[in-house]
Amino acid sequence: MHQDDDDKTTVKPLAELVADAAESQTAYLIVLSGKAVGKMFRVKPGEMLIGRSSACDIFLEDDGVSRKHAQLVCGPEGAVVLRDMGSTNGTWVEGERVAAKELRDGDRLQIGSATILKYGYQDSVEEKFVSQLYESATQDGLTGIYNKRFFLDRLDQEFAWHQRHDYPLTLILFDIDHFKKVNDTYGHQPGDYVLARLARIAGIQCREEDILARYGGEEFAVILRQTTTREGTILAERIRRAVESTQFEYEKDGEVMNMPITISLGVASLEGDMLESSHLVESADHYLYQSKEKGRNRVSSAELDLL
C-alpha cells in the first residue's frame, strides 16, 4: 500500500536529539567534597571567578583554595573553559593539572587541595531535586538555618583551620529563657513560631560569613570566623537586645498572644590548650550556664569577666 509523503513520520537524527536535549539543560558545578558538599553553582554566560574571596561568583571557603583561584569562561556557543588564575595549589581536571581546559559533561574538577566539583548539565527537575537534597542535609526544617549536623562538621573544619593558621575563632551559644514555659502556656505552634522568628532576628544581626545554626531544641549557635572574643561579645549583645526589643505576637482563634521572649548567651574563643572543637563548645556552654546563673537575659564571656 502506498503512503503519501505528507503521511510519513519524520524522525530526527540522533545528533539533533542530543543537541535539543543539551539546549533544554543548564550547565552546573556540583560540589562533591569540601565544606559546601552538595551545593550547586549555575554556570552563566561570560566570566565567573572561583575562589575563597567573598567577591567570587563561585565562593569556596575550603583551605587550599586561593582567593581568586580559577575562572570559568562560557562562550557564546556554549563552550566552557576552565582557567587557572595562578593559584597556589593548582586547578585539576580529571586528575590532570591544567592551565586552561575546555570542560566536558561529567568532568571532575579539583580546586586546591581538597575541593572536588563535577561539571555537568541538569534540567530544571534535576536541579530542584539536587537543591532539595542539599537543603535537607544541611538545613533545619523549622527555622531554615543550618542544622546541628552541618554545624558540627563545619566547626571541626573551622577549628582545624584557625588553629593551624593561629587566627581567632569565636563561638556563640544561646537559648531561649524559660522556653518550656512558653510551650506549656501558649502551645507548641506558638513555640515553633518563636523559634522560627528568633532565627530570622539572629540572622539579621549576623554577618554574611557567620554560620548560624540550630544546635538543638531551643538552643542556637553562631560560628564567627577570624573574630576575637571582644568582637563576638559585641555581636552577642546585639542579638540579645534585638530579641528583647521584639514583640513576639501569635494569633490563634482570633486571639493575639503577646509572648515576652529573652535569651541567654555564652561566648568563647579558641585557646591554645584546646585540642578539639568540642572543647570550644564546652567553653561556650560554660559561659551560657553562667548567664543563666546570673539571672538570664544576658551575655557572658571571658571578655566580660575582665571588666
Side-chain angles (χ1 to χ4, degrees):
M1 186 174 176
H2 176 71
Q3 259 190 329
D4 293 335
D5 289 343
D6 291 343
D7 294 331
K8 291 180 180 178
T9 303
T10 302
V11 179
K12 286 188 175 183
L14 179 59
E16 287 187 31
L17 291 173
V18 172
D20 289 346
E23 287 180 4
S24 67
Q25 296 181 322
T26 304
Y28 287 89
L29 286 177
I30 303 174
V31 182
L32 300 182
S33 72
K35 293 181 182 178
V37 63
K39 193 168 185 177
M40 293 179 67
F41 297 97
R42 186 173 187 172
V43 178
K44 301 175 183 178
E47 299 177 352
M48 298 179 70
L49 275 177
I50 303 173
R52 196 163 39 84
S53 168
S54 58
C56 288
D57 304 289
I58 298 176
F59 175 48
L60 302 172
E61 294 185 84
D62 289 12
D63 194 13
V65 175
S66 298
R67 290 183 59 79
K68 293 183 179 179
H69 193 105
Q71 182 185 54
L72 282 179
V73 181
C74 182
E77 300 300 321
V80 177
V81 175
L82 176 67
R83 290 194 180 121
D84 186 77
M85 302 286 288
S87 65
T88 301
N89 293 309
T91 300
W92 308 71
V93 177
E94 292 297 323
E96 177 188 355
R97 187 164 184 168
V98 299
K101 187 174 180 64
E102 183 175 339
L103 299 179
R104 297 176 298 180
D105 188 14
D107 275 347
R108 291 175 184 249
L109 291 54
Q110 182 174 327
I111 305 296
S113 55
T115 303
I116 297 175
L117 307 96
K118 182 179 179 181
Y119 171 80
Y121 290 88
Q122 307 281 336
D123 61 27
S124 58
V125 174
E126 291 170 325
E127 176 194 358
K128 186 175 182 180
F129 177 70
V130 174
S131 296
Q132 286 176 342
L133 281 179
Y134 176 70
E135 289 177 4
S136 64
T138 61
Q139 291 185 4
D140 174 62
L142 175 63
T143 62
I145 60 177
Y146 290 118
N147 58 25
K148 183 175 182 179
R149 176 185 169 185
F150 179 89
F151 162 76
L152 291 175
D153 288 345
R154 189 60 181 269
L155 183 63
D156 282 342
Q157 295 166 350
E158 295 294 346
F159 184 90
W161 189 87
H162 284 74
Q163 189 178 54
R164 186 160 59 249
H165 294 279
D166 196 26
Y167 288 150
L169 174 68
T170 295
L171 175 66
I172 300 174
L173 288 182
F174 65 93
D175 67 14
I176 302 172
D177 295 331
H178 304 297
F179 186 65
K180 184 178 184 302
K181 185 177 179 181
V182 172
N183 280 329
D184 291 344
T185 303
Y186 303 104
H188 288 281
Q189 286 186 337
D192 287 348
Y193 154 78
V194 169
L195 291 170
R197 186 156 190 213
L198 175 61
R200 290 196 297 273
I201 293 168
I204 291 171
Q205 304 304 317
C206 291
R207 305 166 302 181
E208 185 177 347
E209 63 268 28
D210 298 334
I211 307 297
L212 171 65
R214 186 179 178 192
Y215 189 60
E218 70 274 22
E219 193 166 15
F220 296 80
V222 189
I223 301 172
L224 306 173
R225 304 182 78 246
Q226 299 186 41
T227 302
T228 64
T229 309
R230 184 175 188 278
E231 292 166 336
T233 302
I234 291 171
L235 174 60
E237 177 60 21
R238 196 159 65 231
I239 295 173
R240 187 200 68 78
R241 289 181 180 178
V243 173
E244 184 183 38
S245 63
T246 298
Q247 286 190 327
F248 289 80
E249 295 180 339
Y250 185 86
E251 185 174 349
K252 183 178 181 181
D253 299 328
E255 179 184 355
V256 177
M257 306 175 187
N258 190 351
M259 298 171 283
I261 300 297
T262 60
I263 58 175
S264 297
L265 307 93
V267 183
S269 295
L270 175 62
E271 297 176 4
D273 60 346
M274 292 182 178
L275 302 178
E276 300 176 357
S277 61
S278 60
H279 297 155
L280 181 58
V281 175
E282 290 169 4
S283 181
D285 195 52
H286 162 76
Y287 284 109
L288 171 58
Y289 181 77
Q290 196 175 96
S291 290
K292 292 179 179 295
E293 287 287 291
K294 292 180 178 179
R296 304 177 189 268
N297 189 23
R298 67 185 63 232
V299 176
S300 296
S301 71
E303 176 74 19
L304 294 175
D305 282 350
L306 298 175
L307 299 179

